[in-house]
Amino acid sequence: MLLIKMFSRRVNTLIFGLAFSCLLLCPPGLAANGQGEKQQPPEQETVPEGRAVLSFYPLTDKAKIAEHRLSDKVIPYPANPVPRLEPLMELGDDFLGHGPIKPGIKTPFEQMLQPSFLLYGQFRSALQSYDAEDREVVQWSTRLDLHGDVKLSGTERLVFSLRPLDNDKGEDTGYIFSSDGDEEHWHDQTNGKLTQLFFEGEIGEIFPRLDPGDNKTWDIGFSVGRQELKVQDGILLSDTLDAFGITRNSLIAAGLPNLRLTGLYSWHDIDNPFAGDTSPGRLFGLLTQADTAWDNTLDFDMIYVDNDKGANAWYLGLGSTQRIGTINSTFRINTEIPQAEDSAALNQGTLVTAELSGAFAHSDDLWYFNSFLSFDDFSSAARSRDAGVELANIGMLFSPVGMGQYGVPLGDSIADTYGAVAGYQHFFGGIGSQLIVELAARSSMKSERKQDAVGVGLRYQKALSRQTLLRFDTFFAVKEKQQSAKGVRLEWLLKF
């Protein structure tokens, strides 16, 4: 009934707005009366905006309410529906399906639940050869990501994830043909460990009685459990940890049409980037994102890590995303500040990144140019083993593939370094087939470190069907005072 009232009020508001606009904007002849005389324009009236519209011209006539009631009759879609991709398993209403929705279940708090379950994910299988850093490996590697989504309503759900073919140490199920002179052997890392298990919801939807008119500040989202988190595009934090987060969205302030605030607390499974193990410390965070009147999106994030080993530190990140003419751009500055200046476990550092991208005229092809500058030795507040270095988001040559022992071409320490990545993405007759060519270079600001390197990478991927993808990667890199690095891999991916 509330939905009907809201709908009818919006219809009346729309009709009134159209009539009011016609009186103000139509030519004088159209606003004349029957005697050919021009009418005087009506006095300006204030039209309610936002939530105030809900109480504008309320309907009380039952006949009018029935007239605007949504029909129960099924109306066929005028075009042929696109066949949907079915998940591996689904219970309840079809995901992205069509037709009548099953009746819901009303809770004692008057929330309407429509439970459903989805099981989906992807399977990856790759033959790969990697030769760098005095290490050579040829292997067949596999990875399976499974995700279960127990959906209770449009805002509440329970999510779990598994990676049953590999572990958090970077070991996976497959076959090693050669590895530093070792004999061929099969390695089995099958397991049933949950990698994610969390619940998320919104307080105002779980307890509708708190805000029957939907005009208060109870639109507060929260999540609790083991979940994957990325902050500042994975630079400041990229880890799966046990955490509780609470978010207040759609806040409005001067010059900020939309502001989001998130409080974060993590108590376990925080991967320690400086010690290389899992620390029993605690993590506190305040994450903010705002759309501004300057047509950009600002991210300002603060994280504090309280570590039982005494390695306490602040991590701050500031980012701005906007368009400069036809160019997409993102600029970020992230810094690490140890609480104790003489801490032997932590190093102070700052990482500055700039990302630019755009499209070529009269073409679907894209280009990108990303650069970075690292002062001292910056590290993330928390970083999982397979997340790669802090620069994993700026290009292929700095990003891990996430399978087996295939390394990161230019994934050395970023302490006191600077560098850039230039790439070109070409599409062959649509998005189903594409080629990416990338050139990257990095150098140290301290000549004694001898960390200069340059590399070129190539990736070709082609969709074999709506669910399968074939991907080919290769790279070649030259590093100062080290042997050249090279790698090649062929991957088959199945999404379900």
Side-chain angles (χ1 to χ4, degrees):
M1 185 63 68
L2 178 60
L3 177 62
I4 297 172
K5 291 182 179 179
M6 293 172 61
F7 177 77
S8 61
R9 291 167 185 165
R10 291 182 181 274
V11 169
N12 284 336
T13 303
L14 178 60
I15 294 173
F16 177 82
L18 290 175
F20 185 67
S21 300
C22 180
L23 289 174
L24 292 179
L25 301 178
C26 65
L30 296 179
N33 58 21
Q35 305 300 323
E37 299 177 357
K38 296 182 179 179
Q39 297 178 344
Q40 295 297 324
E43 296 181 359
Q44 294 286 345
E45 294 186 24
T46 302
V47 178
E49 297 180 358
R51 299 185 184 275
V53 175
L54 297 177
S55 59
F56 186 61
Y57 282 158
L59 282 179
T60 56
D61 189 344
K62 293 184 178 180
K64 288 289 186 180
I65 294 176
E67 179 183 348
H68 294 289
R69 185 183 297 276
L70 294 176
S71 173
D72 295 330
K73 182 180 179 181
V74 178
I75 302 175
Y77 192 68
N80 294 327
V82 177
R84 71 185 186 96
L85 289 176
E86 297 184 10
L88 185 64
M89 179 187 296
E90 59 181 338
L91 302 173
D93 291 322
D94 292 342
F95 178 67
L96 297 180
H98 61 277
I101 300 175
K102 296 178 181 178
I105 304 171
K106 182 176 287 189
T107 69
F109 308 107
E110 296 189 356
Q111 182 190 21
M112 187 63 69
L113 303 181
Q114 293 175 309
S116 64
F117 172 72
L118 300 176
L119 183 64
Y120 60 97
Q122 65 180 19
F123 172 73
R124 302 171 64 187
S125 175
L127 286 171
Q128 50 195 29
S129 172
Y130 180 79
D131 182 7
E133 305 162 357
D134 299 325
R135 178 168 60 93
E136 180 179 1
V137 59
V138 179
Q139 68 176 155
W140 169 55
S141 182
T142 61
R143 173 171 170 172
L144 176 62
D145 294 78
L146 283 176
H147 307 285
D149 189 336
V150 183
K151 178 183 175 183
L152 302 177
S153 69
T155 54
E156 283 67 51
R157 63 174 185 159
L158 176 70
V159 178
F160 66 88
S161 301
L162 303 92
R163 284 172 52 173
L165 297 183
D166 67 327
N167 58 32
D168 53 8
K169 297 180 180 179
E171 302 168 336
D172 64 348
T173 300
Y175 192 86
I176 293 182
F177 297 97
S178 65
S179 177
D180 297 332
D182 294 343
E183 295 183 357
E184 301 181 10
H185 67 278
W186 168 264
H187 52 105
D188 183 3
Q189 297 296 334
T190 55
N191 65 88
K193 180 181 178 181
L194 287 172
T195 56
Q196 290 193 100
L197 178 61
F198 66 91
F199 175 81
E200 66 178 5
E202 185 176 295
I203 295 177
E205 296 295 332
I206 297 177
F207 305 101
R209 292 180 181 177
L210 293 175
D211 188 10
D214 197 23
N215 54 9
K216 298 181 181 179
T217 58
W218 286 105
D219 296 330
I220 301 173
F222 68 93
S223 64
V224 58
R226 180 160 298 180
Q227 50 198 303
E228 182 180 6
L229 297 173
K230 290 189 177 183
V231 180
Q232 291 289 324
D233 204 11
I235 297 177
L236 201 65
L237 185 150
S238 181
D239 195 11
T240 300
L241 34 76
D242 296 339
F244 170 75
I246 186 166
T247 298
R248 180 67 174 94
N249 205 351
S250 302
L251 295 170
I252 299 176
L256 303 177
N258 182 46
L259 172 65
R260 184 188 68 195
L261 299 176
T262 298
L264 177 66
Y265 169 66
S266 175
W267 61 89
H268 183 256
D269 206 28
I270 303 170
D271 286 344
N272 192 326
F274 48 83
D277 60 4
T278 300
S279 167
R282 292 155 297 279
L283 183 149
F284 306 86
L286 176 61
L287 316 177
T288 65
Q289 185 179 74
D291 298 323
T292 76
W294 299 282
D295 294 331
N296 70 333
T297 299
L298 286 177
D299 300 273
F300 179 63
D301 306 303
M302 298 183 294
I303 295 176
Y304 179 74
V305 175
D306 180 16
N307 188 275
D308 291 344
K309 297 179 181 179
N312 303 338
W314 285 94
Y315 298 84
L316 308 177
L318 175 64
S320 176
T321 300
Q322 58 279 309
R323 286 181 65 86
I324 303 175
T326 60
I327 298 176
N328 309 308
S329 63
T330 299
F331 305 102
R332 300 187 188 276
I333 178 170
N334 291 269
T335 187
E336 173 189 12
I337 307 174
Q339 184 172 348
E341 295 183 359
D342 58 349
S343 174
L346 287 175
N347 295 313
Q348 184 170 344
T350 299
L351 177 62
V352 181
T353 59
E355 304 173 43
L356 306 174
S357 65
F360 291 95
H362 312 293
S363 172
D364 293 328
D365 294 354
L366 304 173
W367 62 268
Y368 58 91
F369 182 82
N370 305 326
S371 57
F372 69 92
L373 181 61
S374 176
F375 300 96
D376 297 323
D377 191 7
F378 170 81
S379 62
S380 303
R383 196 163 197 87
S384 61
R385 184 181 297 272
D386 60 356
V389 296
E390 288 78 7
L391 297 171
N393 64 309
I394 73 168
M396 296 187 303
L397 295 173
F398 290 91
S399 178
V401 298
M403 294 183 67
Q405 301 179 39
Y406 196 87
V408 181
L410 299 182
D412 302 309
S413 170
I414 64 172
D416 292 304
T417 60
Y418 61 94
V421 176
Y424 167 67
Q425 184 177 22
H426 174 67
F427 296 91
F428 297 92
I431 63 174
S433 180
Q434 56 185 270
L435 173 70
I436 302 176
V437 180
E438 182 176 287
L439 177 66
R442 53 174 291 165
S443 181
S444 175
M445 289 187 284
K446 297 183 178 181
S447 58
E448 65 273 11
R449 292 192 176 179
K450 306 297 183 182
Q451 289 184 326
D452 293 355
V454 60
V456 59
L458 181 147
R459 173 175 295 168
Y460 173 76
Q461 53 189 23
K462 179 178 178 59
L464 304 179
S465 68
R466 298 181 66 197
Q467 293 178 275
T468 58
L469 178 76
L470 189 67
R471 171 175 146 182
F472 172 78
D473 291 278
T474 187
F475 79 91
F476 181 79
V478 178
K479 302 181 179 181
E480 187 176 9
K481 298 297 183 179
Q482 298 182 38
Q483 68 175 19
S484 59
K486 53 186 177 295
V488 60
R489 61 191 305 273
L490 180 66
E491 176 182 335
W492 178 75
L493 182 146
L494 170 66
K495 285 184 174 290
F496 48 81

